[in-house]
PDB file of all heavy atoms in Angstrom:
ATOM      1  N   PRO A 199      -4.383   9.979 -28.737  1.00  0.00           N
ATOM      2  CA  PRO A 199      -4.381  10.881 -29.881  1.00  0.00           C
ATOM      3  C   PRO A 199      -3.834  10.159 -31.112  1.00  0.00           C
ATOM      4  O   PRO A 199      -3.152   9.141 -30.983  1.00  0.00           O
ATOM      5  CB  PRO A 199      -3.425  11.994 -29.446  1.00  0.00           C
ATOM      6  CG  PRO A 199      -2.573  11.391 -28.386  1.00  0.00           C
ATOM      7  CD  PRO A 199      -3.421  10.377 -27.695  1.00  0.00           C
ATOM      8  N   VAL A 200      -4.147  10.690 -32.279  1.00  0.00           N
ATOM      9  CA  VAL A 200      -3.566  10.141 -33.511  1.00  0.00           C
ATOM     10  C   VAL A 200      -2.080  10.495 -33.486  1.00  0.00           C
ATOM     11  O   VAL A 200      -1.713  11.639 -33.228  1.00  0.00           O
ATOM     12  CB  VAL A 200      -4.229  10.795 -34.742  1.00  0.00           C
ATOM     13  CG1 VAL A 200      -3.588  10.282 -36.025  1.00  0.00           C
ATOM     14  CG2 VAL A 200      -5.721  10.521 -34.714  1.00  0.00           C
ATOM     15  N   LEU A 201      -1.234   9.501 -33.704  1.00  0.00           N
ATOM     16  CA  LEU A 201       0.205   9.769 -33.636  1.00  0.00           C
ATOM     17  C   LEU A 201       0.627  10.686 -34.778  1.00  0.00           C
ATOM     18  O   LEU A 201       0.096  10.596 -35.886  1.00  0.00           O
ATOM     19  CB  LEU A 201       0.986   8.462 -33.718  1.00  0.00           C
ATOM     20  CG  LEU A 201       0.777   7.463 -32.575  1.00  0.00           C
ATOM     21  CD1 LEU A 201       1.752   6.299 -32.712  1.00  0.00           C
ATOM     22  CD2 LEU A 201       0.948   8.128 -31.210  1.00  0.00           C
ATOM     23  N   ASN A 202       1.599  11.549 -34.488  1.00  0.00           N
ATOM     24  CA  ASN A 202       2.126  12.390 -35.563  1.00  0.00           C
ATOM     25  C   ASN A 202       3.148  11.574 -36.373  1.00  0.00           C
ATOM     26  O   ASN A 202       3.531  10.469 -35.961  1.00  0.00           O
ATOM     27  CB  ASN A 202       2.684  13.705 -34.998  1.00  0.00           C
ATOM     28  CG  ASN A 202       3.868  13.486 -34.075  1.00  0.00           C
ATOM     29  OD1 ASN A 202       4.661  12.573 -34.289  1.00  0.00           O
ATOM     30  ND2 ASN A 202       3.977  14.309 -33.051  1.00  0.00           N
ATOM     31  N   GLN A 205       6.154  10.133 -34.528  1.00  0.00           N
ATOM     32  CA  GLN A 205       5.773   9.069 -33.585  1.00  0.00           C
ATOM     33  C   GLN A 205       5.448   7.779 -34.328  1.00  0.00           C
ATOM     34  O   GLN A 205       5.827   6.692 -33.898  1.00  0.00           O
ATOM     35  CB  GLN A 205       4.551   9.508 -32.761  1.00  0.00           C
ATOM     36  CG  GLN A 205       4.848  10.536 -31.689  1.00  0.00           C
ATOM     37  CD  GLN A 205       3.557  11.044 -31.051  1.00  0.00           C
ATOM     38  OE1 GLN A 205       2.588  11.369 -31.750  1.00  0.00           O
ATOM     39  NE2 GLN A 205       3.529  11.106 -29.732  1.00  0.00           N
ATOM     40  N   GLY A 225      13.706  12.009 -27.489  1.00  0.00           N
ATOM     41  CA  GLY A 225      12.682  12.978 -27.895  1.00  0.00           C
ATOM     42  C   GLY A 225      12.595  14.118 -26.917  1.00  0.00           C
ATOM     43  O   GLY A 225      12.592  13.896 -25.703  1.00  0.00           O
ATOM     44  N   VAL A 226      12.502  15.328 -27.424  1.00  0.00           N
ATOM     45  CA  VAL A 226      12.431  16.500 -26.544  1.00  0.00           C
ATOM     46  C   VAL A 226      11.268  16.325 -25.564  1.00  0.00           C
ATOM     47  O   VAL A 226      10.336  15.552 -25.834  1.00  0.00           O
ATOM     48  CB  VAL A 226      12.266  17.812 -27.356  1.00  0.00           C
ATOM     49  CG1 VAL A 226      13.459  18.027 -28.259  1.00  0.00           C
ATOM     50  CG2 VAL A 226      10.975  17.811 -28.164  1.00  0.00           C
ATOM     51  N   THR A 227      11.332  17.011 -24.439  1.00  0.00           N
ATOM     52  CA  THR A 227      10.277  16.835 -23.430  1.00  0.00           C
ATOM     53  C   THR A 227       8.933  17.226 -24.040  1.00  0.00           C
ATOM     54  O   THR A 227       8.826  18.243 -24.706  1.00  0.00           O
ATOM     55  CB  THR A 227      10.529  17.701 -22.176  1.00  0.00           C
ATOM     56  OG1 THR A 227      10.837  19.019 -22.607  1.00  0.00           O
ATOM     57  CG2 THR A 227      11.677  17.175 -21.359  1.00  0.00           C
ATOM     58  N   GLY A 228       7.956  16.361 -23.838  1.00  0.00           N
ATOM     59  CA  GLY A 228       6.627  16.629 -24.383  1.00  0.00           C
ATOM     60  C   GLY A 228       6.476  16.219 -25.840  1.00  0.00           C
ATOM     61  O   GLY A 228       5.484  16.547 -26.481  1.00  0.00           O
ATOM     62  N   SER A 229       7.432  15.453 -26.369  1.00  0.00           N
ATOM     63  CA  SER A 229       7.349  15.077 -27.783  1.00  0.00           C
ATOM     64  C   SER A 229       6.462  13.857 -28.001  1.00  0.00           C
ATOM     65  O   SER A 229       6.249  13.443 -29.131  1.00  0.00           O
ATOM     66  CB  SER A 229       8.744  14.805 -28.339  1.00  0.00           C
ATOM     67  OG  SER A 229       9.366  13.776 -27.607  1.00  0.00           O
ATOM     68  N   GLY A 230       5.978  13.278 -26.904  1.00  0.00           N
ATOM     69  CA  GLY A 230       5.067  12.153 -27.067  1.00  0.00           C
ATOM     70  C   GLY A 230       5.754  10.798 -26.994  1.00  0.00           C
ATOM     71  O   GLY A 230       5.273   9.820 -27.559  1.00  0.00           O
ATOM     72  N   LYS A 231       6.852  10.730 -26.249  1.00  0.00           N
ATOM     73  CA  LYS A 231       7.536   9.441 -26.066  1.00  0.00           C
ATOM     74  C   LYS A 231       6.619   8.463 -25.335  1.00  0.00           C
ATOM     75  O   LYS A 231       6.495   7.310 -25.715  1.00  0.00           O
ATOM     76  CB  LYS A 231       8.832   9.621 -25.247  1.00  0.00           C
ATOM     77  CG  LYS A 231       9.886  10.471 -25.907  1.00  0.00           C
ATOM     78  CD  LYS A 231      11.157  10.549 -25.079  1.00  0.00           C
ATOM     79  CE  LYS A 231      11.002  11.342 -23.793  1.00  0.00           C
ATOM     80  NZ  LYS A 231      10.742  12.785 -23.990  1.00  0.00           N
ATOM     81  N   THR A 232       5.997   8.963 -24.260  1.00  0.00           N
ATOM     82  CA  THR A 232       5.146   8.087 -23.461  1.00  0.00           C
ATOM     83  C   THR A 232       4.017   7.509 -24.310  1.00  0.00           C
ATOM     84  O   THR A 232       3.648   6.348 -24.170  1.00  0.00           O
ATOM     85  CB  THR A 232       4.583   8.864 -22.261  1.00  0.00           C
ATOM     86  OG1 THR A 232       5.665   9.564 -21.647  1.00  0.00           O
ATOM     87  CG2 THR A 232       3.949   7.942 -21.259  1.00  0.00           C
ATOM     88  N   GLU A 233       3.492   8.325 -25.194  1.00  0.00           N
ATOM     89  CA  GLU A 233       2.425   7.882 -26.098  1.00  0.00           C
ATOM     90  C   GLU A 233       2.946   6.724 -26.968  1.00  0.00           C
ATOM     91  O   GLU A 233       2.240   5.741 -27.193  1.00  0.00           O
ATOM     92  CB  GLU A 233       2.042   9.092 -26.947  1.00  0.00           C
ATOM     93  CG  GLU A 233       0.591   9.304 -27.275  1.00  0.00           C
ATOM     94  CD  GLU A 233      -0.413   8.941 -26.212  1.00  0.00           C
ATOM     95  OE1 GLU A 233      -0.595   9.682 -25.235  1.00  0.00           O
ATOM     96  OE2 GLU A 233      -1.041   7.881 -26.388  1.00  0.00           O
ATOM     97  N   VAL A 234       4.196   6.839 -27.415  1.00  0.00           N
ATOM     98  CA  VAL A 234       4.788   5.770 -28.238  1.00  0.00           C
ATOM     99  C   VAL A 234       4.988   4.494 -27.409  1.00  0.00           C
ATOM    100  O   VAL A 234       4.635   3.395 -27.837  1.00  0.00           O
ATOM    101  CB  VAL A 234       6.129   6.220 -28.874  1.00  0.00           C
ATOM    102  CG1 VAL A 234       6.805   5.066 -29.603  1.00  0.00           C
ATOM    103  CG2 VAL A 234       5.901   7.390 -29.825  1.00  0.00           C
ATOM    104  N   ARG A 265      -1.905   7.304 -16.488  1.00  0.00           N
ATOM    105  CA  ARG A 265      -1.916   7.269 -17.959  1.00  0.00           C
ATOM    106  C   ARG A 265      -2.064   5.850 -18.493  1.00  0.00           C
ATOM    107  O   ARG A 265      -2.771   5.617 -19.467  1.00  0.00           O
ATOM    108  CB  ARG A 265      -0.645   7.906 -18.519  1.00  0.00           C
ATOM    109  CG  ARG A 265      -0.677   9.414 -18.393  1.00  0.00           C
ATOM    110  CD  ARG A 265       0.518  10.073 -19.033  1.00  0.00           C
ATOM    111  NE  ARG A 265       0.430  10.112 -20.492  1.00  0.00           N
ATOM    112  CZ  ARG A 265       1.337  10.712 -21.258  1.00  0.00           C
ATOM    113  NH1 ARG A 265       2.382  11.299 -20.707  1.00  0.00           N
ATOM    114  NH2 ARG A 265       1.203  10.719 -22.565  1.00  0.00           N
ATOM    115  N   ARG A 269      -5.115   4.629 -20.842  1.00  0.00           N
ATOM    116  CA  ARG A 269      -4.875   4.259 -22.224  1.00  0.00           C
ATOM    117  C   ARG A 269      -4.972   2.759 -22.463  1.00  0.00           C
ATOM    118  O   ARG A 269      -5.449   2.301 -23.485  1.00  0.00           O
ATOM    119  CB  ARG A 269      -3.494   4.755 -22.661  1.00  0.00           C
ATOM    120  CG  ARG A 269      -3.161   4.469 -24.099  1.00  0.00           C
ATOM    121  CD  ARG A 269      -3.837   5.384 -25.091  1.00  0.00           C
ATOM    122  NE  ARG A 269      -3.254   6.709 -25.066  1.00  0.00           N
ATOM    123  CZ  ARG A 269      -3.853   7.772 -24.540  1.00  0.00           C
ATOM    124  NH1 ARG A 269      -5.040   7.649 -23.971  1.00  0.00           N
ATOM    125  NH2 ARG A 269      -3.277   8.941 -24.549  1.00  0.00           N
ATOM    126  N   LEU A 378      12.474  12.158 -31.726  1.00  0.00           N
ATOM    127  CA  LEU A 378      11.236  12.930 -31.850  1.00  0.00           C
ATOM    128  C   LEU A 378      11.651  14.377 -31.612  1.00  0.00           C
ATOM    129  O   LEU A 378      12.105  14.717 -30.523  1.00  0.00           O
ATOM    130  CB  LEU A 378      10.206  12.498 -30.800  1.00  0.00           C
ATOM    131  CG  LEU A 378       9.771  11.026 -30.798  1.00  0.00           C
ATOM    132  CD1 LEU A 378       8.786  10.770 -29.663  1.00  0.00           C
ATOM    133  CD2 LEU A 378       9.150  10.642 -32.127  1.00  0.00           C
ATOM    134  N   ALA A 382       4.629  17.271 -29.180  1.00  0.00           N
ATOM    135  CA  ALA A 382       3.386  16.731 -29.737  1.00  0.00           C
ATOM    136  C   ALA A 382       2.233  17.644 -29.354  1.00  0.00           C
ATOM    137  O   ALA A 382       2.338  18.430 -28.419  1.00  0.00           O
ATOM    138  CB  ALA A 382       3.139  15.331 -29.196  1.00  0.00           C
ATOM    139  N   GLY A 383       1.156  17.521 -30.059  1.00  0.00           N
ATOM    140  CA  GLY A 383      -0.049  18.240 -29.668  1.00  0.00           C
ATOM    141  C   GLY A 383       0.085  19.748 -29.770  1.00  0.00           C
ATOM    142  O   GLY A 383      -0.653  20.483 -29.138  1.00  0.00           O
ATOM    143  N   HIS A 547       4.094  16.598 -15.346  1.00  0.00           N
ATOM    144  CA  HIS A 547       3.329  17.383 -16.307  1.00  0.00           C
ATOM    145  C   HIS A 547       2.359  18.255 -15.525  1.00  0.00           C
ATOM    146  O   HIS A 547       1.370  17.786 -15.001  1.00  0.00           O
ATOM    147  CB  HIS A 547       2.572  16.424 -17.238  1.00  0.00           C
ATOM    148  CG  HIS A 547       1.798  17.121 -18.300  1.00  0.00           C
ATOM    149  ND1 HIS A 547       2.365  17.512 -19.489  1.00  0.00           N
ATOM    150  CD2 HIS A 547       0.512  17.510 -18.360  1.00  0.00           C
ATOM    151  CE1 HIS A 547       1.441  18.111 -20.239  1.00  0.00           C
ATOM    152  NE2 HIS A 547       0.310  18.120 -19.573  1.00  0.00           N
ATOM    153  N   ARG A 587       3.818  23.161 -21.342  1.00  0.00           N
ATOM    154  CA  ARG A 587       3.591  21.870 -21.980  1.00  0.00           C
ATOM    155  C   ARG A 587       2.251  21.818 -22.715  1.00  0.00           C
ATOM    156  O   ARG A 587       1.969  20.857 -23.397  1.00  0.00           O
ATOM    157  CB  ARG A 587       3.687  20.745 -20.953  1.00  0.00           C
ATOM    158  CG  ARG A 587       5.122  20.562 -20.465  1.00  0.00           C
ATOM    159  CD  ARG A 587       5.198  19.602 -19.310  1.00  0.00           C
ATOM    160  NE  ARG A 587       4.870  18.235 -19.683  1.00  0.00           N
ATOM    161  CZ  ARG A 587       5.730  17.346 -20.128  1.00  0.00           C
ATOM    162  NH1 ARG A 587       6.993  17.683 -20.289  1.00  0.00           N
ATOM    163  NH2 ARG A 587       5.349  16.129 -20.408  1.00  0.00           N
ATOM    164  N   GLU A 588       1.416  22.854 -22.534  1.00  0.00           N
ATOM    165  CA  GLU A 588       0.152  22.828 -23.274  1.00  0.00           C
ATOM    166  C   GLU A 588       0.098  24.002 -24.256  1.00  0.00           C
ATOM    167  O   GLU A 588       1.014  24.178 -25.017  1.00  0.00           O
ATOM    168  CB  GLU A 588      -1.007  22.773 -22.289  1.00  0.00           C
ATOM    169  CG  GLU A 588      -0.828  21.561 -21.364  1.00  0.00           C
ATOM    170  CD  GLU A 588      -2.080  20.777 -21.087  1.00  0.00           C
ATOM    171  OE1 GLU A 588      -3.148  21.381 -21.041  1.00  0.00           O
ATOM    172  OE2 GLU A 588      -1.970  19.543 -20.901  1.00  0.00           O
TER     173      GLU A 588
HETATM  174  P1  ADP B   1       6.982  12.816 -23.381  1.00  0.00           P
HETATM  175  O1  ADP B   1       6.833  11.460 -22.786  1.00  0.00           O
HETATM  176  O2  ADP B   1       7.902  12.835 -24.580  1.00  0.00           O
HETATM  177  O3  ADP B   1       7.312  13.906 -22.406  1.00  0.00           O
HETATM  178  P2  ADP B   1       4.109  12.672 -23.661  1.00  0.00           P
HETATM  179  O4  ADP B   1       3.851  11.366 -24.293  1.00  0.00           O
HETATM  180  O5  ADP B   1       3.881  12.803 -22.208  1.00  0.00           O
HETATM  181  O6  ADP B   1       5.569  13.207 -24.021  1.00  0.00           O
HETATM  182  O7  ADP B   1       3.247  13.749 -24.453  1.00  0.00           O
HETATM  183  C1  ADP B   1       3.171  15.118 -24.053  1.00  0.00           C
HETATM  184  C2  ADP B   1       1.731  15.607 -24.205  1.00  0.00           C
HETATM  185  O8  ADP B   1       1.360  15.577 -25.587  1.00  0.00           O
HETATM  186  C3  ADP B   1       0.737  14.726 -23.490  1.00  0.00           C
HETATM  187  O9  ADP B   1      -0.277  15.538 -22.972  1.00  0.00           O
HETATM  188  C4  ADP B   1       0.207  13.818 -24.582  1.00  0.00           C
HETATM  189  O10 ADP B   1      -1.090  13.370 -24.320  1.00  0.00           O
HETATM  190  C5  ADP B   1       0.242  14.741 -25.794  1.00  0.00           C
HETATM  191  N1  ADP B   1       0.454  14.011 -27.047  1.00  0.00           N
HETATM  192  C6  ADP B   1       1.350  13.041 -27.290  1.00  0.00           C
HETATM  193  N2  ADP B   1       1.275  12.640 -28.570  1.00  0.00           N
HETATM  194  C7  ADP B   1       0.306  13.370 -29.157  1.00  0.00           C
HETATM  195  C8  ADP B   1      -0.248  13.424 -30.470  1.00  0.00           C
HETATM  196  N3  ADP B   1       0.211  12.653 -31.452  1.00  0.00           N
HETATM  197  N4  ADP B   1      -1.244  14.301 -30.697  1.00  0.00           N
HETATM  198  C9  ADP B   1      -1.708  15.107 -29.727  1.00  0.00           C
HETATM  199  N5  ADP B   1      -1.224  15.097 -28.464  1.00  0.00           N
HETATM  200  C10 ADP B   1      -0.234  14.250 -28.178  1.00  0.00           C
END
Side-chain angles (χ1 to χ4, degrees):
V200 177
L201 296 187
N202 64 34
Q205 286 173 314
V226 298
T227 48
S229 59
K231 296 183 291 294
T232 312
E233 219 36 77
V234 174
R265 286 184 76 176
R269 182 77 73 253
L378 302 178
H547 182 85
R587 291 172 68 88
E588 304 222 327

